[in-house]
Amino acid sequence: MLMIRCPWCGTRSEDEFTYGGQAHIARPFTSPDVSDQVWADYLYVRSNPKGIHHERWHHTYGCRQWFHIARDTVTHEVKAVYRLRDPLLQFGGDDQ
């Protein structure tokens, strides 16, 4: 089981959180010119790296805040926890 450090509540069990998908995904501008393929890529195409992956998590059974985690997909080690407004954290060998 993962132990996740909420930026507001401190370290808690993974059971209190909900995974929210890949972090730092830019929504396409809404206009009639946006193709179906662009929307499909935005909705369904995600990276699946071996190594550091940036994820969104929600503290569902706590403060109910959203935040980002940089997690190693091989070891499941949480490398960093940061707020949504913070920029993408860079680590050596990032796939993103």
Side-chain angles (χ1 to χ4, degrees), residues 33-89:
D33 299 333
V34 176
S35 71
D36 289 343
Q37 185 59 52
V38 169
W39 276 111
D41 289 347
Y42 167 71
L43 292 172
Y44 303 112
V45 177
R46 298 290 182 259
S47 66
N48 187 17
K50 181 177 182 180
I52 301 298
H53 189 247
H54 297 271
E55 305 166 342
R56 293 182 330 156
W57 284 78
H58 181 240
H59 196 174
T60 310
Y61 298 107
C63 63
R64 305 190 58 79
Q65 296 291 319
W66 284 92
F67 57 93
H68 289 155
I69 288 180
R71 182 179 63 85
D72 188 316
T73 61
V74 176
T75 64
H76 298 291
E77 178 185 1
V78 175
K79 298 289 190 177
V81 175
Y82 55 106
R83 296 178 183 204
L84 294 181
R85 68 175 178 246
D86 295 338
L88 175 71
L89 297 179

